[in-house]
Amino acid sequence: MPYPEEAQGFMIDSPETWLSFQKRHYKLKPFEDYDVDVKVEACGICGSDVHTISGWGANQNWPLCIGHEIVGTAIKVGPKVTNVKVGQRVGVGAQVFSCGECKQCKNDNETYCPKIIMNTYGSKWPETGIISQGGYSSHVRAHEHWVFTIPEKLKTNSVAPMLCAGITAFSPLVRNGAGPSKKVGIVGMGGIGHFGIMFAKALGAETWAISRTRAKEADARKIGADGFIATCEEGWEKEHEFSFDLIVNCANSSKNFDLSKYLSMMDVHGRWVSVGLPEEEGQVIKAQNLISNGVLIGASHLGSRKEMIRMLNLAADKGLDSWVETIDINEENLKEAMQRMKKADIRYRFTLTGYDKAFPEA
Amino acid sequence: MPYPEEAQGFMIDSPETWLSFQKRHYKLKPFEDYDVDVKVEACGICGSDVHTISGWGANQNWPLCIGHEIVGTAIKVGPKVTNVKVGQRVGVGAQVFSCGECKQCKNDNETYCPKIIMNTYGSKWPETGIISQGGYSSHVRAHEHWVFTIPEKLKTNSVAPMLCAGITAFSPLVRNGAGPSKKVGIVGMGGIGHFGIMFAKALGAETWAISRTRAKEADARKIGADGFIATCEEGWEKEHEFSFDLIVNCANSSKNFDLSKYLSMMDVHGRWVSVGLPEEEGQVIKAQNLISNGVLIGASHLGSRKEMIRMLNLAADKGLDSWVETIDINEENLKEAMQRMKKADIRYRFTLTGYDKAFPEA
């Protein structure tokens, strides 16, 4: 069946066949008063896309069409929608619904809603049991709260990854005071980290990139880093002791990670906020490791609608541009892209394009 | 030699003989312009006293006279001292010096000074190499910044434990916003925890005591707890999900401690601050455990001079009274008290008294 009952997308059947994308039709949730239908034109490839189909996938609802850094055109809006008009260029990130009524939702913490979090893909819509499906597809349907008009100045292909990677970096920066007179570090110069550097600098903070080697130093400085720390160098942490107000940890691995050295760089009551979700076991933390500077350790999950709008406007105002490699969406390219993502062989994000060729009937 | 060159105190020679207190004379640091000499009249027994002589002691400077919840009379003040007058009743807590000049010291974070932290006992004075000694003794000598006049309304024996246990609980409460309309939990109803409950309530927070069993519920409610959670009861965390703004963890053991259940009770970006220093290995923390509510995990170390004064005034204004058991200072009683501390057989703090009998020549 064609749209509007169904969408067509590239699906994975199980973690065992995580490189085997199958183009299929699947059912969309019933269209409701606050829904917006987006005809997809581009979609970033997120690290969690790869984790979901290859690593975290055991409890997923298979088969699954991943993708949650979506840009396209609003082609249909429900009668109660006020945020979006038909024909507008819009983005959809990693979440498409929350209860909207609880304390968290009313307090701009809708990505922490304890009642219901509908991820863009892989979640079960409560009333129908239909599984949400992502943006490696012809269409997505989302509640208007989770659909964002894109400022004219931003390019479709480079704004796509901001919808998840970008907001993931941006929210902890603004929630933890990144700005003038603050010293901010970004650990891990990958998809999320490169946004972290860009946004920390754009917000006015003294911005340090923290990476294992100096291989990405030139890139980091181009993006806006004021300084660069290579953790392969002996004594790297020494000159920064008690100095960082905030470090956003965007690393996607905690292997060989000596957390205590990183924490020793924090100012008193500085904050270490992780946004990566490594597949490895966690870190052993003793109160003793935290007590010399009273550092706070936390994690952050996406960002609110308000933050998303603020981020997009900041990017437009400052002319910020993601570093993306575009690749047309099809079975072979998806396989290759997933393999390169696994090896972190990308500077710094893939954006899937060529949707008109993949879905000519959409 | 007698005072003022020396003090007399009960010393421990090594962790192997941690119950064998020896009354001896030892050298005091040279008296300087900002110093205050305190003739000791009472001293609380802190959990870290016991840890130091029995557990943490490997790197200590032996022999050692412990004790850092000291109340006594100022009997001599240096020519530059302005905070204290001879004859005043004063307290000394767990620290007696910091550099006083760095960013942290100037910013009311002197207990996090990265240059020098002189603990009340066991630290080496930089210029002379003399080891600082605590309050199980006739006299202590401290920089005036670390000497606090005691409000008249407070009783010597019950104010003593506030100087370490009290401020340890008080500082994270005020630094993390405990007050009206906040829900605050205190884990561990021991020496520090009983102050946590008392102060959280006095600051105006909705205050919950969190303990393994209900054995101490009646005490907790007398001290000011509005509610009580017993973690031996199935599903104890369920009704509190996403609700605590702050939990101060005063537990001195992390055995069988399911941190994720505690963290599930935190509101979005709520804070879990540990002040106990368990001897066991730490907790394994994965970003995944923190992400559902963006909780922040931290630790806290004592409190600033300003906070100490605020705490003492609050206690005087509200008529707060520690729960102490007094015991005269001598070899046998110290041995017994240490053994009971190890078993947590005390509600909720010992205060050593009878100094005139132990040190008749002082």
mmCIF file of all heavy atoms in Angstrom, chain B residues 95-133:
data_model
loop_
_atom_site.group_PDB
_atom_site.id
_atom_site.type_symbol
_atom_site.label_atom_id
_atom_site.label_comp_id
_atom_site.label_asym_id
_atom_site.label_seq_id
_atom_site.Cartn_x
_atom_site.Cartn_y
_atom_site.Cartn_z
ATOM 1 N N GLN B 95 39.843 20.761 59.324
ATOM 2 C CA GLN B 95 40.922 21.377 58.553
ATOM 3 C C GLN B 95 41.423 22.588 59.330
ATOM 4 O O GLN B 95 40.627 23.273 59.996
ATOM 5 C CB GLN B 95 40.390 21.783 57.168
ATOM 6 C CG GLN B 95 41.464 22.167 56.156
ATOM 7 C CD GLN B 95 40.921 22.370 54.737
ATOM 8 O OE1 GLN B 95 39.885 21.815 54.385
ATOM 9 N NE2 GLN B 95 41.617 23.146 53.929
ATOM 10 N N VAL B 96 42.727 22.868 59.280
ATOM 11 C CA VAL B 96 43.275 23.986 60.038
ATOM 12 C C VAL B 96 44.057 24.984 59.195
ATOM 13 O O VAL B 96 44.544 25.990 59.710
ATOM 14 C CB VAL B 96 44.179 23.498 61.202
ATOM 15 C CG1 VAL B 96 43.328 22.861 62.296
ATOM 16 C CG2 VAL B 96 45.254 22.527 60.709
ATOM 17 N N PHE B 97 44.164 24.717 57.883
ATOM 18 C CA PHE B 97 44.883 25.674 57.038
ATOM 19 C C PHE B 97 44.648 25.341 55.575
ATOM 20 O O PHE B 97 44.440 24.186 55.206
ATOM 21 C CB PHE B 97 46.397 25.615 57.329
ATOM 22 C CG PHE B 97 47.181 26.751 56.722
ATOM 23 C CD1 PHE B 97 47.023 28.051 57.185
ATOM 24 C CD2 PHE B 97 48.051 26.528 55.649
ATOM 25 C CE1 PHE B 97 47.732 29.103 56.618
ATOM 26 C CE2 PHE B 97 48.772 27.575 55.079
ATOM 27 C CZ PHE B 97 48.605 28.860 55.564
ATOM 28 N N SER B 98 44.654 26.398 54.753
ATOM 29 C CA SER B 98 44.738 26.251 53.293
ATOM 30 C C SER B 98 45.523 27.453 52.817
ATOM 31 O O SER B 98 45.847 28.338 53.608
ATOM 32 C CB SER B 98 43.345 26.225 52.671
ATOM 33 O OG SER B 98 42.726 27.499 52.775
ATOM 34 N N CYS B 99 45.840 27.519 51.530
ATOM 35 C CA CYS B 99 46.760 28.582 51.082
ATOM 36 C C CYS B 99 46.189 29.977 51.292
ATOM 37 O O CYS B 99 46.923 30.925 51.521
ATOM 38 C CB CYS B 99 47.179 28.368 49.626
ATOM 39 S SG CYS B 99 46.068 29.084 48.385
ATOM 40 N N GLY B 100 44.861 30.100 51.180
ATOM 41 C CA GLY B 100 44.237 31.393 51.433
ATOM 42 C C GLY B 100 44.358 32.385 50.289
ATOM 43 O O GLY B 100 43.785 33.475 50.341
ATOM 44 N N GLU B 101 45.038 32.017 49.248
ATOM 45 C CA GLU B 101 45.307 32.980 48.174
ATOM 46 C C GLU B 101 44.831 32.551 46.804
ATOM 47 O O GLU B 101 44.768 33.361 45.884
ATOM 48 C CB GLU B 101 46.819 33.239 48.116
ATOM 49 C CG GLU B 101 47.288 34.036 49.322
ATOM 50 C CD GLU B 101 48.805 34.062 49.444
ATOM 51 O OE1 GLU B 101 49.497 33.549 48.548
ATOM 52 O OE2 GLU B 101 49.284 34.588 50.466
ATOM 53 N N CYS B 102 44.519 31.283 46.629
ATOM 54 C CA CYS B 102 44.158 30.812 45.295
ATOM 55 C C CYS B 102 42.683 31.130 45.007
ATOM 56 O O CYS B 102 41.928 31.555 45.871
ATOM 57 C CB CYS B 102 44.416 29.311 45.162
ATOM 58 S SG CYS B 102 43.256 28.301 46.112
ATOM 59 N N LYS B 103 42.309 30.888 43.770
ATOM 60 C CA LYS B 103 40.924 31.086 43.328
ATOM 61 C C LYS B 103 39.934 30.364 44.243
ATOM 62 O O LYS B 103 38.903 30.916 44.618
ATOM 63 C CB LYS B 103 40.807 30.545 41.894
ATOM 64 C CG LYS B 103 39.414 30.553 41.313
ATOM 65 C CD LYS B 103 39.425 29.916 39.914
ATOM 66 C CE LYS B 103 37.999 29.661 39.431
ATOM 67 N NZ LYS B 103 37.982 28.824 38.212
ATOM 68 N N GLN B 104 40.253 29.128 44.607
ATOM 69 C CA GLN B 104 39.316 28.353 45.420
ATOM 70 C C GLN B 104 39.191 28.957 46.820
ATOM 71 O O GLN B 104 38.092 29.103 47.350
ATOM 72 C CB GLN B 104 39.758 26.882 45.517
ATOM 73 C CG GLN B 104 40.008 26.189 44.171
ATOM 74 C CD GLN B 104 38.857 26.284 43.195
ATOM 75 O OE1 GLN B 104 37.708 26.561 43.574
ATOM 76 N NE2 GLN B 104 39.143 26.075 41.909
ATOM 77 N N CYS B 105 40.311 29.299 47.409
ATOM 78 C CA CYS B 105 40.266 29.875 48.754
ATOM 79 C C CYS B 105 39.512 31.197 48.752
ATOM 80 O O CYS B 105 38.779 31.505 49.693
ATOM 81 C CB CYS B 105 41.684 30.070 49.283
ATOM 82 S SG CYS B 105 42.458 28.525 49.778
ATOM 83 N N LYS B 106 39.689 31.980 47.715
ATOM 84 C CA LYS B 106 39.019 33.279 47.660
ATOM 85 C C LYS B 106 37.554 33.159 47.291
ATOM 86 O O LYS B 106 36.810 34.138 47.334
ATOM 87 C CB LYS B 106 39.751 34.172 46.656
ATOM 88 C CG LYS B 106 41.141 34.534 47.176
ATOM 89 C CD LYS B 106 41.781 35.682 46.441
ATOM 90 C CE LYS B 106 42.991 36.160 47.238
ATOM 91 N NZ LYS B 106 43.939 36.899 46.414
ATOM 92 N N ASN B 107 37.154 31.979 46.895
ATOM 93 C CA ASN B 107 35.804 31.772 46.394
ATOM 94 C C ASN B 107 35.005 30.861 47.323
ATOM 95 O O ASN B 107 34.102 30.163 46.890
ATOM 96 C CB ASN B 107 35.913 31.173 44.980
ATOM 97 C CG ASN B 107 34.683 31.424 44.158
ATOM 98 O OD1 ASN B 107 33.900 32.330 44.444
ATOM 99 N ND2 ASN B 107 34.495 30.595 43.136
ATOM 100 N N ASP B 108 35.360 30.866 48.591
ATOM 101 C CA ASP B 108 34.667 30.045 49.585
ATOM 102 C C ASP B 108 34.723 28.560 49.275
ATOM 103 O O ASP B 108 33.813 27.803 49.614
ATOM 104 C CB ASP B 108 33.206 30.501 49.748
ATOM 105 C CG ASP B 108 33.131 31.911 50.305
ATOM 106 O OD1 ASP B 108 33.891 32.205 51.241
ATOM 107 O OD2 ASP B 108 32.345 32.729 49.804
ATOM 108 N N ASN B 109 35.782 28.170 48.613
ATOM 109 C CA ASN B 109 36.020 26.747 48.375
ATOM 110 C C ASN B 109 37.337 26.321 49.011
ATOM 111 O O ASN B 109 38.069 25.491 48.468
ATOM 112 C CB ASN B 109 36.042 26.457 46.868
ATOM 113 C CG ASN B 109 34.662 26.524 46.261
ATOM 114 O OD1 ASN B 109 33.677 26.106 46.878
ATOM 115 N ND2 ASN B 109 34.569 27.051 45.052
ATOM 116 N N GLU B 110 37.619 26.870 50.181
ATOM 117 C CA GLU B 110 38.916 26.626 50.803
ATOM 118 C C GLU B 110 39.115 25.165 51.213
ATOM 119 O O GLU B 110 40.249 24.729 51.380
ATOM 120 C CB GLU B 110 39.116 27.556 52.009
ATOM 121 C CG GLU B 110 38.113 27.393 53.152
ATOM 122 C CD GLU B 110 36.907 28.338 53.049
ATOM 123 O OE1 GLU B 110 36.430 28.571 51.916
ATOM 124 O OE2 GLU B 110 36.443 28.826 54.099
ATOM 125 N N THR B 111 38.049 24.405 51.325
ATOM 126 C CA THR B 111 38.252 22.979 51.630
ATOM 127 C C THR B 111 38.610 22.189 50.370
ATOM 128 O O THR B 111 38.812 20.980 50.438
ATOM 129 C CB THR B 111 37.014 22.355 52.296
ATOM 130 O OG1 THR B 111 35.898 22.470 51.414
ATOM 131 C CG2 THR B 111 36.688 23.052 53.617
ATOM 132 N N TYR B 112 38.640 22.878 49.229
ATOM 133 C CA TYR B 112 39.066 22.243 47.974
ATOM 134 C C TYR B 112 40.361 22.874 47.465
ATOM 135 O O TYR B 112 40.701 22.726 46.299
ATOM 136 C CB TYR B 112 37.974 22.388 46.911
ATOM 137 C CG TYR B 112 36.639 21.798 47.309
ATOM 138 C CD1 TYR B 112 35.649 22.575 47.894
ATOM 139 C CD2 TYR B 112 36.381 20.444 47.097
ATOM 140 C CE1 TYR B 112 34.423 22.029 48.258
ATOM 141 C CE2 TYR B 112 35.159 19.887 47.460
ATOM 142 C CZ TYR B 112 34.191 20.688 48.044
ATOM 143 O OH TYR B 112 32.985 20.132 48.397
ATOM 144 N N CYS B 113 41.061 23.600 48.321
ATOM 145 C CA CYS B 113 42.288 24.295 47.899
ATOM 146 C C CYS B 113 43.265 23.308 47.242
ATOM 147 O O CYS B 113 43.638 22.306 47.849
ATOM 148 C CB CYS B 113 42.958 24.950 49.111
ATOM 149 S SG CYS B 113 44.569 25.684 48.726
ATOM 150 N N PRO B 114 43.683 23.586 46.008
ATOM 151 C CA PRO B 114 44.607 22.651 45.355
ATOM 152 C C PRO B 114 46.060 22.826 45.795
ATOM 153 O O PRO B 114 46.897 21.976 45.513
ATOM 154 C CB PRO B 114 44.460 22.990 43.868
ATOM 155 C CG PRO B 114 43.922 24.365 43.814
ATOM 156 C CD PRO B 114 43.226 24.662 45.121
ATOM 157 N N LYS B 115 46.358 23.925 46.515
ATOM 158 C CA LYS B 115 47.755 24.183 46.896
ATOM 159 C C LYS B 115 48.109 23.445 48.181
ATOM 160 O O LYS B 115 49.097 22.732 48.255
ATOM 161 C CB LYS B 115 47.968 25.689 47.115
ATOM 162 C CG LYS B 115 47.452 26.560 46.000
ATOM 163 C CD LYS B 115 48.439 26.684 44.868
ATOM 164 C CE LYS B 115 47.870 27.626 43.809
ATOM 165 N NZ LYS B 115 48.589 27.574 42.553
ATOM 166 N N ILE B 116 47.325 23.686 49.215
ATOM 167 C CA ILE B 116 47.641 23.032 50.485
ATOM 168 C C ILE B 116 46.361 22.850 51.300
ATOM 169 O O ILE B 116 45.597 23.805 51.492
ATOM 170 C CB ILE B 116 48.704 23.815 51.291
ATOM 171 C CG1 ILE B 116 48.926 23.136 52.650
ATOM 172 C CG2 ILE B 116 48.319 25.276 51.485
ATOM 173 C CD1 ILE B 116 50.130 23.667 53.398
ATOM 174 N N ILE B 117 46.153 21.634 51.713
ATOM 175 C CA ILE B 117 45.089 21.354 52.671
ATOM 176 C C ILE B 117 45.754 20.747 53.899
ATOM 177 O O ILE B 117 46.338 19.668 53.825
ATOM 178 C CB ILE B 117 44.034 20.400 52.090
ATOM 179 C CG1 ILE B 117 43.193 21.133 51.041
ATOM 180 C CG2 ILE B 117 43.135 19.836 53.198
ATOM 181 C CD1 ILE B 117 42.082 20.316 50.435
ATOM 182 N N MET B 118 45.730 21.485 55.008
ATOM 183 C CA MET B 118 46.231 20.932 56.261
ATOM 184 C C MET B 118 45.044 20.353 57.006
ATOM 185 O O MET B 118 44.174 21.086 57.496
ATOM 186 C CB MET B 118 46.869 22.024 57.125
ATOM 187 C CG MET B 118 48.268 22.462 56.688
ATOM 188 S SD MET B 118 49.543 21.166 56.837
ATOM 189 C CE MET B 118 49.509 20.843 58.600
ATOM 190 N N ASN B 119 45.004 19.027 57.077
ATOM 191 C CA ASN B 119 43.993 18.415 57.922
ATOM 192 C C ASN B 119 44.352 18.664 59.376
ATOM 193 O O ASN B 119 45.517 18.865 59.716
ATOM 194 C CB ASN B 119 43.916 16.912 57.646
ATOM 195 C CG ASN B 119 43.424 16.632 56.245
ATOM 196 O OD1 ASN B 119 42.469 17.264 55.778
ATOM 197 N ND2 ASN B 119 44.073 15.701 55.573
ATOM 198 N N THR B 120 43.331 18.631 60.211
ATOM 199 C CA THR B 120 43.558 18.923 61.627
ATOM 200 C C THR B 120 44.581 17.959 62.240
ATOM 201 O O THR B 120 45.354 18.338 63.108
ATOM 202 C CB THR B 120 42.216 18.887 62.369
ATOM 203 O OG1 THR B 120 41.400 19.924 61.790
ATOM 204 C CG2 THR B 120 42.363 19.125 63.854
ATOM 205 N N TYR B 121 44.570 16.725 61.737
ATOM 206 C CA TYR B 121 45.614 15.789 62.179
ATOM 207 C C TYR B 121 46.183 15.043 60.986
ATOM 208 O O TYR B 121 45.488 14.812 60.001
ATOM 209 C CB TYR B 121 45.094 14.802 63.225
ATOM 210 C CG TYR B 121 43.891 13.969 62.829
ATOM 211 C CD1 TYR B 121 44.015 12.863 61.997
ATOM 212 C CD2 TYR B 121 42.631 14.270 63.333
ATOM 213 C CE1 TYR B 121 42.915 12.079 61.670
ATOM 214 C CE2 TYR B 121 41.526 13.502 63.006
ATOM 215 C CZ TYR B 121 41.669 12.405 62.166
ATOM 216 O OH TYR B 121 40.577 11.637 61.843
ATOM 217 N N GLY B 122 47.457 14.718 61.083
ATOM 218 C CA GLY B 122 48.085 13.847 60.089
ATOM 219 C C GLY B 122 48.690 14.554 58.894
ATOM 220 O O GLY B 122 49.259 13.895 58.019
ATOM 221 N N SER B 123 48.585 15.877 58.813
ATOM 222 C CA SER B 123 49.216 16.606 57.709
ATOM 223 C C SER B 123 50.533 17.208 58.169
ATOM 224 O O SER B 123 50.733 17.468 59.350
ATOM 225 C CB SER B 123 48.293 17.717 57.204
ATOM 226 O OG SER B 123 47.145 17.190 56.599
ATOM 227 N N LYS B 124 51.406 17.443 57.190
ATOM 228 C CA LYS B 124 52.732 17.966 57.502
ATOM 229 C C LYS B 124 52.755 19.474 57.254
ATOM 230 O O LYS B 124 52.488 19.917 56.149
ATOM 231 C CB LYS B 124 53.748 17.263 56.581
ATOM 232 C CG LYS B 124 55.162 17.339 57.048
ATOM 233 C CD LYS B 124 56.078 16.504 56.157
ATOM 234 C CE LYS B 124 56.089 15.014 56.546
ATOM 235 N NZ LYS B 124 57.165 14.253 55.900
ATOM 236 N N TRP B 125 53.061 20.249 58.288
ATOM 237 C CA TRP B 125 53.196 21.698 58.087
ATOM 238 C C TRP B 125 54.363 21.949 57.152
ATOM 239 O O TRP B 125 55.458 21.428 57.373
ATOM 240 C CB TRP B 125 53.407 22.406 59.429
ATOM 241 C CG TRP B 125 52.149 22.480 60.242
ATOM 242 C CD1 TRP B 125 51.827 21.693 61.302
ATOM 243 C CD2 TRP B 125 51.054 23.380 60.059
ATOM 244 N NE1 TRP B 125 50.583 22.038 61.795
ATOM 245 C CE2 TRP B 125 50.086 23.077 61.049
ATOM 246 C CE3 TRP B 125 50.779 24.411 59.150
ATOM 247 C CZ2 TRP B 125 48.871 23.770 61.155
ATOM 248 C CZ3 TRP B 125 49.563 25.101 59.252
ATOM 249 C CH2 TRP B 125 48.631 24.774 60.248
ATOM 250 N N PRO B 126 54.137 22.740 56.086
ATOM 251 C CA PRO B 126 55.126 22.840 54.999
ATOM 252 C C PRO B 126 56.521 23.271 55.461
ATOM 253 O O PRO B 126 57.509 22.670 55.057
ATOM 254 C CB PRO B 126 54.529 23.884 54.058
ATOM 255 C CG PRO B 126 53.083 23.959 54.382
ATOM 256 C CD PRO B 126 52.940 23.537 55.806
ATOM 257 N N GLU B 127 56.619 24.277 56.299
ATOM 258 C CA GLU B 127 57.951 24.793 56.581
ATOM 259 C C GLU B 127 58.741 23.966 57.577
ATOM 260 O O GLU B 127 59.956 23.817 57.458
ATOM 261 C CB GLU B 127 57.849 26.241 57.080
ATOM 262 C CG GLU B 127 57.403 27.164 55.937
ATOM 263 C CD GLU B 127 57.332 28.616 56.346
ATOM 264 O OE1 GLU B 127 57.862 28.969 57.425
ATOM 265 O OE2 GLU B 127 56.729 29.396 55.584
ATOM 266 N N THR B 128 58.029 23.415 58.550
ATOM 267 C CA THR B 128 58.744 22.714 59.630
ATOM 268 C C THR B 128 58.674 21.197 59.516
ATOM 269 O O THR B 128 59.458 20.499 60.151
ATOM 270 C CB THR B 128 58.128 23.090 60.986
ATOM 271 O OG1 THR B 128 56.730 22.752 60.936
ATOM 272 C CG2 THR B 128 58.282 24.572 61.262
ATOM 273 N N GLY B 129 57.734 20.697 58.747
ATOM 274 C CA GLY B 129 57.559 19.252 58.679
ATOM 275 C C GLY B 129 56.886 18.665 59.902
ATOM 276 O O GLY B 129 56.722 17.441 60.008
ATOM 277 N N ILE B 130 56.483 19.523 60.821
ATOM 278 C CA ILE B 130 55.770 19.031 62.005
ATOM 279 C C ILE B 130 54.395 18.513 61.586
ATOM 280 O O ILE B 130 53.737 19.095 60.726
ATOM 281 C CB ILE B 130 55.642 20.162 63.051
ATOM 282 C CG1 ILE B 130 57.032 20.456 63.650
ATOM 283 C CG2 ILE B 130 54.637 19.815 64.146
ATOM 284 C CD1 ILE B 130 57.059 21.679 64.529
ATOM 285 N N ILE B 131 54.002 17.406 62.188
ATOM 286 C CA ILE B 131 52.713 16.788 61.831
ATOM 287 C C ILE B 131 51.606 17.402 62.681
ATOM 288 O O ILE B 131 51.735 17.523 63.898
ATOM 289 C CB ILE B 131 52.760 15.267 62.085
ATOM 290 C CG1 ILE B 131 53.939 14.620 61.333
ATOM 291 C CG2 ILE B 131 51.422 14.608 61.692
ATOM 292 C CD1 ILE B 131 53.930 14.851 59.844
ATOM 293 N N SER B 132 50.511 17.770 62.024
ATOM 294 C CA SER B 132 49.371 18.300 62.775
ATOM 295 C C SER B 132 48.734 17.174 63.589
ATOM 296 O O SER B 132 48.715 16.016 63.169
ATOM 297 C CB SER B 132 48.346 18.921 61.827
ATOM 298 O OG SER B 132 47.843 17.953 60.924
ATOM 299 N N GLN B 133 48.264 17.548 64.784
ATOM 300 C CA GLN B 133 47.668 16.553 65.685
ATOM 301 C C GLN B 133 46.310 17.053 66.161
ATOM 302 O O GLN B 133 46.094 18.262 66.298
ATOM 303 C CB GLN B 133 48.584 16.299 66.884
ATOM 304 C CG GLN B 133 50.005 15.852 66.523
ATOM 305 C CD GLN B 133 50.099 14.444 65.917
ATOM 306 O OE1 GLN B 133 49.101 13.702 65.849
ATOM 307 N NE2 GLN B 133 51.281 14.084 65.441
#
